[in-house]
Amino acid sequence: VFLPPFLMRNRFDNVAALESYNGDLFIVHGGSDNLISPKYSELLAASKPQAERVVIDGAGHNTLFITPPTQDIVNEWLADQLRTPSARD
């Protein structure tokens, strides 16, 4: 999808925004996201050694959380966080 520059007014530097964050990080991205390329979640995950990244095949930008495996994957990660002591504890 091509968006003209005047529609993309906001530039978000998520790598910089997370620079001082050292907690657990779980990134879920739709493999068929045609608005924000999965390469950006890959770059974000690469910037934080503690990041876990999951790409949901077939999920788009607006369909990520209604794509069947997404909720199970997120729930499993959250349950693991509750069971496992954090490195910052």
Side-chain angles (χ1 to χ4, degrees):
V1 171
F2 169 76
L3 292 175
F6 70 88
L7 289 177
M8 298 297 292
R9 293 185 194 142
N10 298 318
R11 302 283 184 216
F12 298 103
D13 187 348
N14 292 320
V15 171
L18 288 174
E19 194 171 289
S20 64
Y21 178 75
N22 293 313
D24 297 323
L25 182 60
F26 187 56
I27 302 167
V28 182
H29 204 120
S32 297
D33 189 331
N34 59 6
L35 185 60
I36 300 173
S37 172
K39 73 179 180 181
Y40 292 109
S41 66
E42 184 176 354
L43 291 170
L44 186 60
S47 75
K48 302 304 286 184
Q50 76 275 23
E52 291 182 54
R53 176 178 174 261
V54 176
V55 175
I56 307 295
D57 290 332
H61 188 79
N62 292 318
T63 59
L64 179 61
F65 284 97
I66 60 170
T67 303
T70 304
Q71 292 178 6
D72 291 338
I73 290 168
V74 170
N75 288 339
E76 182 179 324
W77 187 84
L78 289 170
D80 285 346
Q81 297 307 298
L82 293 173
R83 285 191 295 268
T84 308
S86 174
R88 61 185 182 276
D89 288 343

